[in-house]
Amino acid sequence: MNIFRLAGDMMHLFSIIVLLLKINATRSCRGVSLKTQELYAIVFVCRYLDLFTSFISLYNTTMKLIFLLSTFTIIYWMRFHKVIRVTYDREQDTFRYQFLILPCFLLALVLNNEFSAMEVLWTFSIYLEAVAILPQLVLLQRTNNIDNLTGNYVFLLGSYRALYILNWIYRFMTEPNYRQYLVWISGIVQTIVYIDFFYYYIRSWRNNEKLSLPA
Amino acid sequence: PEVKLLKDEL
């Protein structure tokens, strides 16, 4: 494992910790998109089916379990926790995610490396992850007062994707036969989705202003 | 095509 990959995974882990802490400490999930969290739950469930079929490393298994568990915890809080669920921006979080799920699934049926259930679901998770942040970005645009932690959450998630690209470049140069075109293209699309957010995040940070995204 | 062994990323 190279430094970019490890740093990327750590960013991903931190992003989730930040979100858990924010919701738990403030007893509020204001500004957090339940739709994005549910999309991530679908992504993780479909991708980590190999937990049952293959063992890669203790690190790998632990991280997968953390991602699954934390995402379901957040969803549970937002849907059922008696204090937190009241703070959910239901009226603002209206992104119709079926318009993401269906095309990604159809694309995975057509464009995959092997037409088997496991492989199609895995490919579907790759495509879906690329766009899963969209409901969250739309919700941030609609939120006038983005709190720091929610902004940091999205920034950390974006950093994780950017670091994965560096990881792929590094692996491509150091490992023979290391190629995964579908993952690379989806990953680049996913990172592009964040560019606009990055621009406003860094600008607000440099100017010492509160983060807000233009509608 | 991709090799199955490559699925070591998260």
Side-chain angles (χ1 to χ4, degrees):
Chain A
M1 176 148 55
N2 61 67
I3 186 73
F4 303 112
R5 161 76 196 282
L6 183 65
D9 285 351
M10 289 306 116
M11 290 294 158
H12 196 182
L13 190 62
F14 290 153
S15 74
I16 291 172
I17 292 173
V18 162
L19 194 58
L20 284 167
L21 283 179
K22 169 211 150 76
I23 297 176
N24 194 41
T26 61
R27 298 271 129 180
S28 160
C29 61
R30 192 171 167 269
V32 179
S33 167
L34 178 61
K35 309 233 165 176
T36 282
Q37 295 306 316
E38 289 179 343
L39 288 176
Y40 278 127
I42 298 172
V43 166
F44 293 144
V45 167
C46 293
R47 186 170 313 162
Y48 298 158
L49 287 172
D50 66 352
L51 276 171
F52 298 104
T53 60
S54 57
F55 179 80
I56 294 156
S57 65
L58 185 61
Y59 171 84
N60 199 285
T61 303
T62 312
M63 293 292 271
K64 284 173 176 168
L65 291 175
I66 292 175
F67 292 156
L68 280 164
L69 206 72
S70 54
T71 306
F72 278 103
T73 303
I74 292 166
I75 292 172
Y76 177 81
W77 283 348
M78 293 183 75
R79 280 185 171 276
F80 304 112
H81 188 284
K82 67 179 192 300
V83 180
I84 295 169
R85 60 188 278 262
V86 184
T87 62
Y88 170 48
D89 301 320
R90 203 172 309 270
E91 292 77 29
Q92 308 268 28
D93 191 21
T94 52
F95 198 100
R96 296 212 269 204
Y97 56 1
Q98 53 275 37
F99 290 130
L100 297 178
I101 296 172
L102 197 64
C104 287
F105 189 72
L106 293 177
L107 192 62
L109 282 176
V110 182
L111 216 61
N112 55 56
N113 288 309
E114 185 196 303
F115 196 72
S116 66
M118 282 278 282
E119 190 65 24
V120 168
L121 286 174
W122 182 85
T123 314
F124 166 59
S125 82
I126 296 289
Y127 298 151
L128 191 61
E129 190 190 350
V131 291
I133 197 67
L134 287 174
Q136 179 64 69
L137 290 175
V138 170
L139 181 58
L140 282 190
Q141 266 187 352
R142 292 175 179 170
T143 312
N144 310 320
N145 219 348
I146 304 172
D147 68 71
N148 285 333
L149 286 174
T150 313
N152 292 344
Y153 165 68
V154 178
F155 180 75
L156 287 166
L157 263 184
S159 311
Y160 139 65
R161 293 318 306 179
L163 284 160
Y164 253 67
I165 292 182
L166 297 180
N167 155 56
W168 295 330
I169 294 170
Y170 183 87
R171 291 188 73 172
F172 180 72
M173 293 193 303
T174 54
E175 292 175 35
N177 301 321
Y178 175 77
R179 282 173 183 74
Q180 37 175 359
Y181 301 112
L182 298 180
V183 173
W184 291 345
I185 293 166
S186 314
I188 291 166
V189 169
Q190 187 172 356
T191 312
I192 290 171
V193 167
Y194 284 94
I195 287 180
D196 198 50
F197 172 83
F198 274 135
Y199 171 77
Y200 290 105
Y201 182 89
I202 291 168
R203 202 177 68 165
S204 79
W205 177 71
R206 286 181 51 163
N207 298 344
N208 240 327
E209 291 164 349
K210 248 187 127 46
L211 174 63
S212 71
L213 304 181
Chain B
E2 293 175 37
V3 185
K4 281 200 159 179
L5 281 175
L6 285 176
K7 293 210 171 93
D8 57 352
E9 289 175 353
L10 299 161

